[in-house]
Amino acid sequence: MRVSKMLTHTLKEDPQEAEVMSHKLMIRAGMLRRVSSGIYNYLPLGWKVIRKVMDIIREEMNAIEGQELLMPAMNPRELWEETGRWEEMGDNLFRLKDRWGRDYCLGMTHEEVITDIARKEIQSYKDLPIMLYQIQTKFRDEPRPRAGVMRGREFIMKDAYSFHDSDESLDEKYRDNYRAYWRIFARCGMETVPVKADPGPIGGTDNHEFMVLSPVGEDTVFLCECGNGANKEMAYFKDEEKDPPVRSKESSREKIHTPGVSTIEKLCKSLKISADRFMKAIVYIADGKPIMAIVRGDRDINQVKLRRGLGVKTLAMANDDEILKFTGGHLGFSGPVGMDPSVVVADPEIKYMVDTICGANEKDYHFRNVNPGTDFTVGKYIQIRDAVEGDKCPECGKVLDAKRSIELGHIFKLGRKYSNDMKATFLDDKSERKTFIMGCYGIGVTRIVAAVIETHNDKNGIIWPISIAPYECLVMPVMYNDDEQRGISEEIYKKLKEKGIDVAYDDRDSRPGFKFKDADLIGYPLRVIVGKKAIKDGLVELKLRDEKEAQMVKIEEVVDMIIDIIKVEKTKLMSFSDRFEECPC
RNA sequence: CGAGGUGUGGCGCAGCUUGGCUAGCGCGUCUGCUUUGGGAGCAGAAGGCCGGAGGUUCAAAUCCUCUCACCUCGACCA
């Protein structure tokens, strides 16, 4: 491709709309332009990168027997009602009506549609297992799109779905995908960490998120040297075993007047006591019934742990009316004193609290000198607080490391959740009707691109892994005007093209400084510079984007050298097997 | 939804407090000349109903009201 004909104009200044580096660089390098909040044009340079990522994904999915298909972005309401997700997805689902007033949505994921395909097309156990996948544009009405393509409202995703007649078969496919995901990300130049995660509204049992560590990530993961890793929602840790607390002096419960002091922060200020001396009591509606969850005042309740610990399907914070009915007091003044123990759940840390302060279930009143056992009884002690830096690994006891991360992929064992709801069945070898067991495997394609840039850049621009660079190589005459330089450049460009190298040729009659800056910004991994000093001795410069110095190479050898370097670089990206660890489940 | 902020040629910004001549600057674009190893210089040119609607005023980019879009933090989130 001739640079003079490319639709790309690079920007010298950072765009006002962008905050994080990958977003800035994608716009400055001419890959991306915003159309609306969270909605983007992928200009040719950006689209080319996305296509390369897609190709890697296709190769790896096909290698584990995935079959590509394409499902509609627009789905009818009826399908989503079969699983209850038309309601469950709430405002995140983009909805629209046709001219007759019929309801549709723009798919954010395709479990319903694929299960519909399966129940119609797959009748026999002989067709199983099978895995189908697509690369599709997905839609989510995000409350707040962020960081360019990192969290958009329209984005490209690969989603795969597998169907099985046994758990063992699903386990095997899950392991295949686990391995394939590792390979895909490695080939894109990304080192990912698989962590245990909560399945959320998708449902199912085992699932892993593939995370890349980055300070701009929106998730927090807790990692241990021993290989154990989980995202924040699922980050369980070892509860410290302590001696039972000893009360230094006899004290008894006392009601105190605290008008308008409805938050922990206000309590700390008004009583001049630190947050860890309070109990935070929050009322939730769990599967329709109210419960009270208690953690120390300085801790955060982890809703996923609470939901799992209670063994309920739905969990939401109660509103003021519900709290009033349940406790007799208002929001901000709840506490366990006087509550039936069967509806009180507390974090184990509560056991060790002495002479603590909590709400009195009466507006504008708290209790002080409250002690577990004497003043109230806890029905169930389960770990329901968020992990924090310094907590210990539940497996080996070492200190967990908290890191920010970007979620690139998520794999789930769905089980029969969708096939049950949608009555998707097949006949087994005994002519019995069975319900499909399913798995589902997603990758954020456009997000990979952002994550790669985020982790591969310097002050001059992007440093692409060669596998997904928009072009593998750039040929650049210092002075396009110079017949000799142009002649040699054209010739090298032609030869590289013939050899199948994805090469760009900067044939613009611009000043060299301008072209160097542009090349660094766009981040061509390899650069051939044809200048007059070098020409005298039949040499051109060959420079790698991530190396400081260029090497002088004979003109007639440069093409072969480039071919070799590309081969070596790609092999490097493929040779990840020494780091790979098999799926733990 | 809560809090803060921004809308002025393609991009980045100034002007607004205290209303007043033809709305400026840098980058980019086009023409010409000179340049040519890290975002060149000179000369010239094109390109704006100042986000939109209403109001105040002799007069509004500037003041008032409403509205829309976008950004950041939070809440939320396969």
Side-chain angles (χ1 to χ4, degrees):
Chain A
M1 182 73 200
R2 289 174 181 266
V3 176
S4 66
K5 300 295 178 203
M6 274 187 205
L7 175 71
T8 162
H9 87 276
T10 54
L11 305 175
K12 193 151 55 169
E13 285 160 305
D14 280 340
Q16 174 258 7
E17 71 187 80
E19 198 64 24
V20 306
M21 192 51 75
S22 57
H23 189 193
K24 287 180 185 173
L25 286 172
M26 283 177 91
I27 288 168
R28 285 190 54 208
M31 299 172 65
L32 191 74
R33 294 289 184 262
R34 196 188 70 208
V35 177
S36 181
S37 176
I39 301 176
Y40 293 88
N41 285 322
Y42 304 111
L43 300 185
L45 214 52
W47 182 240
K48 210 156 177 293
V49 175
I50 291 168
R51 275 188 358 241
K52 289 197 177 183
V53 173
M54 287 175 173
D55 286 344
I56 290 174
I57 292 173
R58 285 196 174 97
E59 280 176 34
E60 295 296 339
M61 294 313 290
N62 294 345
I64 57 169
E65 315 278 86
Q67 301 178 53
E68 187 170 359
L69 50 55
L70 187 64
M71 291 177 271
M74 192 163 96
N75 299 176
R77 171 180 181 158
E78 292 72 33
L79 225 36
W80 284 69
E81 278 191 329
E82 288 193 50
T83 56
R85 291 208 302 179
W86 179 264
E87 293 295 325
E88 200 182 327
M89 286 303 185
D91 289 336
N92 282 332
L93 195 61
F94 268 109
R95 296 156 204 264
L96 60 155
K97 284 183 192 294
D98 72 6
R99 61 172 74 201
W100 310 113
R102 286 185 289 242
D103 287 310
Y104 294 85
C105 66
L106 299 177
M108 53 205 289
T109 172
H110 279 75
E111 282 79 10
E112 283 80 3
V113 184
I114 200 84
T115 306
D116 185 50
I117 291 176
R119 70 182 168 186
K120 287 174 176 159
E121 309 291 337
I122 307 171
Q123 316 289 349
S124 160
Y125 74 96
K126 291 178 193 163
D127 295 329
L128 301 178
I130 189 169
M131 182 166 76
L132 302 165
Y133 75 97
Q134 67 171 344
I135 297 176
Q136 239 291 30
T137 299
K138 305 280 182 178
F139 301 85
R140 295 186 65 179
D141 194 355
E142 286 290 343
R144 192 158 86 79
R146 276 192 73 247
V149 113
M150 201 85 87
R151 179 170 291 274
R153 295 196 294 173
E154 178 183 318
F155 54 99
I156 298 171
M157 211 172 147
K158 187 277 320 185
D159 48 327
Y161 306 87
S162 64
F163 296 86
H164 310 270
D165 57 3
S166 72
D167 287 327
E168 294 68 37
S169 168
L170 170 62
D171 291 347
E172 194 183 327
K173 190 57 83 181
Y174 188 86
R175 283 192 292 271
D176 286 350
N177 274 281
Y178 189 96
R179 205 176 302 116
Y181 269 42
W182 195 299
R183 289 179 60 92
I184 288 165
F185 300 127
R187 288 180 62 187
C188 293
M190 303 297 294
E191 197 161 337
T192 50
V193 198
V195 300
K196 286 179 233 153
D198 178 62
I202 286 218
T205 51
D206 280 333
N207 73 101
H208 283 89
E209 287 175 338
F210 284 77
M211 298 295 212
V212 55
L213 304 184
S214 160
V216 309
E218 299 177 283
D219 297 304
T220 303
V221 291
F222 287 83
L223 304 173
C224 180
E225 289 172 27
C226 77
N228 185 34
N231 80 3
K232 190 174 176 178
E233 297 172 323
M234 289 288 284
Y236 287 91
F237 51 89
K238 206 171 183 171
D239 274 307
E240 301 287 338
E241 294 290 332
K242 289 190 222 168
D243 293 329
V246 182
R247 290 164 70 179
S248 52
K249 58 178 194 305
E250 268 318 301
S251 56
S252 59
R253 191 168 85 218
E254 187 187 336
K255 194 187 268 186
I256 48 174
H257 190 46
T258 49
V261 184
S262 57
T263 65
I264 296 286
E265 201 184 335
K266 285 184 196 162
L267 272 169
C268 293
K269 251 189 216 152
S270 97
L271 301 178
K272 300 199 169 47
I273 296 178
S274 65
D276 58 5
R277 299 293 322 283
F278 300 97
M279 285 192 292
K280 188 192 282 183
I282 298 191
V283 178
Y284 286 89
I285 305 298
D287 280 352
K289 278 180 262 169
I291 61 106
M292 182 181 285
I294 307 166
V295 293
R296 213 170 72 184
D298 58 329
R299 305 298 194 185
D300 290 317
I301 290 188
N302 181 314
Q303 280 199 33
V304 170
K305 288 185 185 178
L306 180 58
R307 195 188 70 224
R308 292 167 60 92
L310 293 170
V312 296
K313 278 173 92 171
T314 64
L315 187 72
M317 279 170 92
N319 61 34
D320 196 44
D321 288 345
E322 289 163 334
I323 294 170
L324 187 63
K325 207 171 140 203
F326 180 52
T327 68
H330 282 277
L331 184 90
F333 299 94
S334 300
V337 178
M339 299 302 294
D340 186 323
S342 69
V343 294
V344 177
V345 178
D347 191 85
E349 211 171 30
I350 296 294
K351 283 185 223 168
Y352 307 104
M353 294 187 75
V354 173
D355 289 351
T356 174
I357 296 165
C358 68
N361 293 328
E362 185 180 338
K363 192 171 166 52
D364 295 339
Y365 285 97
H366 281 79
F367 286 126
R368 91 163 104 219
N369 297 334
V370 174
N371 290 287
T374 29
D375 297 289
F376 66 93
T377 310
V378 171
K380 211 176 192 182
Y381 278 109
I382 38 178
Q383 186 178 107
I384 54 170
R385 68 182 205 266
D386 275 338
V388 293
E389 190 83 56
D391 282 331
K392 308 251 171 53
C393 174
E395 305 286 335
C396 71
K398 290 201 189 90
V399 173
L400 292 168
D401 204 6
K403 294 270 192 222
R404 300 291 288 180
S405 67
I406 303 167
E407 176 189 350
L408 294 185
H410 201 160
I411 59 179
F412 304 79
K413 290 183 187 171
L414 293 177
R416 296 189 180 84
K417 180 178 156 74
Y418 293 90
S419 44
N420 262 338
D421 286 347
M422 297 183 65
K423 301 189 174 46
T425 58
F426 61 97
L427 288 179
D428 72 5
D429 56 358
K430 297 179 193 73
S431 295
E432 279 173 35
R433 195 151 286 281
K434 287 276 175 67
T435 306
F436 291 111
I437 298 170
M438 294 171 59
C440 135
Y441 319 90
I443 292 181
V445 177
T446 34
R447 191 182 272 185
I448 289 183
V449 176
V452 169
I453 296 172
E454 202 57 51
T455 49
H456 295 70
N457 68 78
D458 64 13
K459 66 180 197 305
N460 294 314
I462 304 168
I463 303 172
W464 290 111
I466 203 147
S467 52
I468 62 168
Y471 292 91
E472 293 166 326
C473 178
L474 176 75
V475 178
M476 190 191 116
V478 172
M479 267 183 285
Y480 185 72
N481 259 346
D482 182 285
D483 289 344
E484 201 176 0
Q485 287 185 30
R486 190 178 59 244
I488 293 168
S489 300
E490 297 261 359
E491 202 176 316
I492 295 172
Y493 169 58
K494 221 177 94 190
K495 274 192 197 148
L496 286 168
K497 262 207 317 198
E498 279 164 12
K499 295 282 183 188
I501 305 299
D502 191 14
V503 59
Y505 170 37
D506 198 342
D507 60 339
R508 295 173 299 180
D509 184 18
S510 308
R511 298 174 59 89
F514 180 86
K515 293 198 277 191
F516 282 125
K517 287 286 187 193
D518 235 20
D520 283 344
L521 178 58
I522 291 170
Y524 305 95
L526 284 162
R527 189 193 301 170
V528 180
I529 302 146
V530 182
K532 69 176 173 200
K533 281 179 255 170
I535 276 182
K536 272 197 305 195
D537 311 312
L539 298 170
V540 292
E541 282 168 56
L542 180 58
K543 185 181 171 300
L544 274 65
R545 175 63 177 82
D546 60 351
E547 277 176 14
K548 217 172 163 200
E549 298 299 324
Q551 45 182 318
M552 304 307 297
V553 179
K554 285 190 185 141
I555 291 171
E556 55 276 16
E557 286 171 6
V558 74
V559 171
D560 287 335
M561 275 192 74
I562 286 169
I563 292 168
D564 283 349
I565 292 171
I566 291 174
K567 203 181 288 170
V568 168
E569 290 294 315
K570 285 197 175 164
T571 312
K572 258 194 239 167
L573 291 167
M574 291 287 275
S575 66
F576 64 95
S577 50
D578 48 327
R579 295 197 318 265
F580 176 71
E581 283 168 40
E582 285 294 341
C583 174
C585 61

